[in-house]
Amino acid sequence: MKQTASAVRMSRSVSSEVPLLSDKVHAMKTRFSVLMVGAALVTMSIGAANGAEGDSPSTPAAGTSTEGTPKQQDHALAKSVRHALTKTKGLTSSGITVLAKNGVVTLNGTVPEQGQIALAGNSAQSVAGVTSVKNNVELAEKN
């Protein structure tokens, strides 16, 4: 078979591109591997910085966490108190706001009946992690 000059040129250019593509694929695989190793190292160092020792994360009981920043602890405690208020029978908690700071819980807002004021304070005091309750809840005005 007789090859033309253009066919020879084309076969040379194609054959010279194949190693280039192979080199590019190899370089991409190498970069990907380096990135994966880097990501694994970052993940391990973050886990070590957070005190993890390969254990699965555990969720402490609501309001009893001693981990996290004070702000996170306050937020978790307020959330636990709000949950307790919503579960308290005979208490309309929709008008009550809850603030927590270093174990001290402040209740603000209104309730429709006088007896619910004490009920809200007692419910908040029963939550683990609460050291004291400032009960500023008032009787709602009837229209």
Side-chain angles (χ1 to χ4, degrees):
M1 288 176 116
K2 194 174 187 186
Q3 290 186 343
T4 63
S6 63
V8 171
R9 262 188 265 126
M10 191 162 84
S11 69
R12 284 184 189 159
S13 64
V14 169
S15 65
S16 64
E17 286 180 22
V18 172
L20 292 177
L21 289 176
S22 175
D23 290 342
K24 286 182 181 181
V25 170
H26 178 70
M28 287 174 55
K29 286 181 179 180
T30 303
R31 280 189 219 124
F32 180 75
S33 297
V34 169
L35 286 173
M36 293 306 294
V37 170
L41 289 173
V42 168
T43 302
M44 290 186 329
S45 64
I46 289 171
N50 289 334
E53 295 181 11
D55 297 335
S56 63
S58 62
T59 305
T64 61
S65 175
T66 57
E67 294 182 16
T69 66
K71 187 175 182 178
Q72 290 170 331
Q73 293 171 8
D74 292 341
H75 178 75
L77 183 58
K79 184 176 179 180
S80 297
V81 171
R82 279 191 293 277
H83 180 74
L85 294 177
T86 61
K87 296 297 181 187
T88 301
K89 292 190 186 322
L91 176 62
T92 304
S93 63
S94 60
I96 301 173
T97 59
V98 179
L99 300 172
K101 180 99 173 152
N102 300 323
V104 177
V105 171
T106 303
L107 303 176
N108 294 304
T110 59
V111 291
E113 297 175 1
Q114 183 70 35
Q116 292 184 18
I117 295 172
L119 196 56
N122 292 339
S123 178
Q125 186 65 57
S126 71
V127 174
V130 174
T131 56
S132 66
V133 175
K134 294 179 184 178
N135 192 347
N136 299 328
V137 176
E138 298 175 345
L139 185 60
E141 291 182 21
K142 294 185 180 183
N143 295 330

